[in-house]
Amino acid sequence: MTLFEMGAYTLARPFSGPLLDRVGQRAVSVRLDLVAAAALAGVPALHAADLLSLPLLLVLVALVGLATGPSETAKVWLSPSVATDTGTPWNASPP
């Protein structure tokens, strides 16, 4: 992660709780992963079209950071339900 992306990531994480409560963990995780993927896909596409400038690159990097923070928080909160749905013991000790 770049410093710019890490800053956006760090700023987004504390504010993701209310978003997760209102929208739901799975919806937030999927939607924000799609936003991050679109921003990342925009970098080579804009570069190939010779439209990628440094300010635009910084905006795309910040967008990835802002999307990744709440998305990762949602994945952490989804872990117990995923473990339960797959039949994996949640508090299991390593062998």
Side-chain angles (χ1 to χ4, degrees):
M1 285 186 153
T2 65
L3 184 60
F4 199 70
E5 181 183 5
M6 193 63 167
Y9 174 90
T10 304
L11 287 175
R13 266 216 70 181
F15 299 108
S16 60
L19 177 68
L20 294 173
D21 289 341
R22 288 189 182 110
V23 180
Q25 289 88 359
R26 187 170 290 139
V28 168
S29 176
V30 170
R31 290 175 186 165
L32 291 181
D33 280 345
L34 290 173
V35 169
L40 285 173
V43 173
L46 290 168
H47 178 68
D50 202 28
L51 297 173
L52 187 63
S53 63
L54 182 61
L56 183 55
L57 178 63
L58 292 176
V59 167
L60 292 172
V61 168
L63 184 60
V64 170
L66 288 171
T68 304
S71 176
E72 288 185 3
T73 302
K75 286 178 184 67
V76 169
W77 283 100
L78 278 171
S79 297
S81 64
V82 170
T84 302
D85 291 346
T86 59
T88 306
W90 175 240
N91 291 326
S93 301

